[in-house]
Amino acid sequence: MVVAASVVVAVGTVTGMINALDDERGANEARPDATLLVPLPDVPSPSVSAKASSSASTSAKPKKTASPSPTKTGEKRSAPVSPSLYRHPESQVLDWVHDHPDDPRTEVIASRIADQPAAVWFADFTPSTITSRVRAVTSGAAAQGRVPVVVPYAIPDRDCGGASEGGAPDFDAYDGWIDDFAAGLGSREVVVVLEPDSIAQADCLSAAQRADRFEALARAGRALKTADPKARVYYDAGHSDWNPATQQAALLKEAGAASADSSDGIFSNVSNFHATSAEIAYDRQVLDALGGPASLGAVIDTSRNGNGAPADGQWCDPAGRKIGRAPTLDTGEARIDGYLWVKLPGESDGCRGAAGTFTASYAYDLAR
């Protein structure tokens, strides 16, 4: 599942408008506004222009972990920042860093998380503003000559009614929303992580419902690439410990992921923790089974997989995890097009803080 933040909070993804929390949570957490819009690296809430939104996990029951106590900062160097990927100037972590200059955790969080480019999630179904909010992100990236990563997250029956439930009311509405989303892409390169969990998690749907969803995803890919021929659209492959590669490839093919008219390949590990090496091997297996043009590749969410997945299968803010490889579109690995931070480190799955909200103690544990 994916986890984002918004008025709807989930084990999945959500987006929303995030402001620093000034109540009893104090300096440790930021939370989404009560209005649903769009954010960048924040998973839960959205913002009028586009704030951070992120999130994705997989399955397992949440387990609470202890909060960290701050230690002296400055002990870790920041990872190199990609010269090509775009960091949107609005996110929960940037808000927190700005509002807490004297917190002993700030230097580590700022240098190792806030400075890195991350995906911008659009998890709210707001047709009237989606074009302008997407355009705010893509035009900002264009002004810097960088590549933005955007996440449409409004498929009907999202998250199978779980924590990240929501999305468009039906597929006609979704088709229109995607057309409006595509209208904001512009004409430059942009990476589109299309609907996390929409394919790997489709087993909760009936055969007819799956067929409708996969047809909608194929249409979505075509609409995005028609609107912006330089857009790179990637489809949901789950992760290396979910569906077998051949099974996932068969589902992906039904959703249009093998066609150059709608797809540039697949994504995996969104909001999860599996090691990059495991994802590389798995993604190549999926691509081999998928067929399609040799140009199809994969992008991997490396935001929280520095220590790999926990042995007990926990997905909800598990202890002992670390940030992974820095975001880049130059991996040096065949058929692996990029390592991305799709879920922003520090945005909770729902155990260290409210789902989709930025929790400083969690971010600090991941970064130090």
Side-chain angles (χ1 to χ4, degrees):
M1 303 156 126
V2 173
V3 174
S6 152
V7 176
V8 161
V9 168
V11 189
T13 59
V14 174
T15 101
M17 180 180 238
I18 305 295
N19 285 336
L21 191 62
D22 59 0
D23 61 11
E24 66 275 8
R25 298 178 200 179
N28 197 46
E29 231 176 274
R31 69 181 174 191
D33 278 324
T35 56
L36 211 67
L37 287 160
V38 142
L40 166 69
D42 44 286
V43 155
S45 40
S47 87
V48 184
S49 59
K51 249 187 180 174
S53 130
S54 86
S55 140
S57 29
T58 61
S59 48
K61 295 185 179 177
K63 166 179 162 186
K64 299 206 172 186
T65 55
S67 298
S69 53
T71 61
K72 191 172 184 179
T73 62
E75 299 171 354
K76 284 216 174 190
R77 296 181 182 176
S78 58
V81 175
S82 169
S84 59
L85 286 166
Y86 176 61
R87 187 195 73 166
H88 188 55
E90 297 180 37
S91 71
Q92 295 185 81
V93 63
L94 287 170
D95 287 348
W96 187 89
V97 167
H98 176 270
D99 293 340
H100 300 89
D102 299 323
D103 191 293
R105 301 166 295 188
T106 297
E107 184 180 342
V108 168
I109 291 172
S111 65
R112 295 183 61 78
I113 294 178
D115 283 351
Q116 293 291 351
V120 182
W121 290 70
F122 297 84
D124 57 310
F125 182 71
T126 51
S128 63
T129 60
I130 189 63
T131 300
S132 61
R133 290 185 291 115
V134 173
R135 185 177 293 127
V137 175
T138 57
S139 62
Q144 296 182 16
R146 297 195 175 192
V147 180
V149 179
V150 296
V151 185
Y153 190 59
I155 197 77
D157 297 318
R158 187 175 66 198
D159 196 31
C160 295
S164 292
E165 67 179 343
D170 54 53
F171 287 110
D172 286 341
Y174 181 72
D175 291 346
W177 185 84
I178 280 289
D179 287 342
D180 292 339
F181 187 104
L185 293 179
S187 58
R188 298 172 62 96
E189 185 178 5
V190 54
V191 173
V192 182
V193 176
L194 180 62
E195 299 291 348
D197 291 353
S198 60
I199 298 175
Q201 196 184 24
D203 56 354
C204 70
L205 305 173
S206 68
Q209 290 172 326
R210 275 197 305 275
D212 288 344
R213 173 177 287 190
F214 292 166
E215 287 176 10
L217 289 170
R219 286 195 299 269
R222 291 193 297 270
L224 293 163
K225 293 185 70 64
T226 298
D228 179 5
K230 293 184 179 179
R232 296 161 62 175
V233 179
Y234 295 90
Y235 282 71
D236 170 39
H239 57 69
S240 57
D241 196 36
W242 201 334
N243 295 326
T246 53
Q247 176 185 338
Q248 189 63 29
L251 298 174
L252 283 157
K253 188 172 292 187
E254 289 184 53
S259 170
D261 291 337
S262 54
S263 171
D264 290 270
I266 62 175
F267 63 83
S268 72
N269 209 41
V270 167
S271 296
N272 218 281
F273 306 90
H274 297 281
T276 301
S277 58
E279 294 306 299
I280 290 173
Y282 172 73
D283 288 348
R284 286 174 176 162
Q285 291 171 358
V286 173
L287 289 168
D288 286 345
L290 180 62
S295 59
L296 296 183
V299 294
I300 298 168
D301 187 351
T302 58
S303 61
R304 305 187 298 177
N305 72 344
N307 277 354
D312 61 3
Q314 286 295 325
W315 57 263
C316 187
D317 304 334
R321 302 312 98 197
K322 298 296 179 185
I323 56 175
R325 300 189 191 188
T328 182
L329 295 177
D330 183 12
T331 69
E333 293 281 352
R335 306 204 81 178
I336 306 302
D337 296 345
Y339 302 135
L340 306 176
W341 282 13
V342 183
K343 179 170 177 83
L344 190 68
E347 290 181 357
S348 177
D349 298 321
C351 292
R352 291 287 288 268
T357 58
F358 178 79
T359 304
S361 59
Y362 182 35
Y364 183 71
D365 275 359
L366 289 166
R368 62 177 174 163

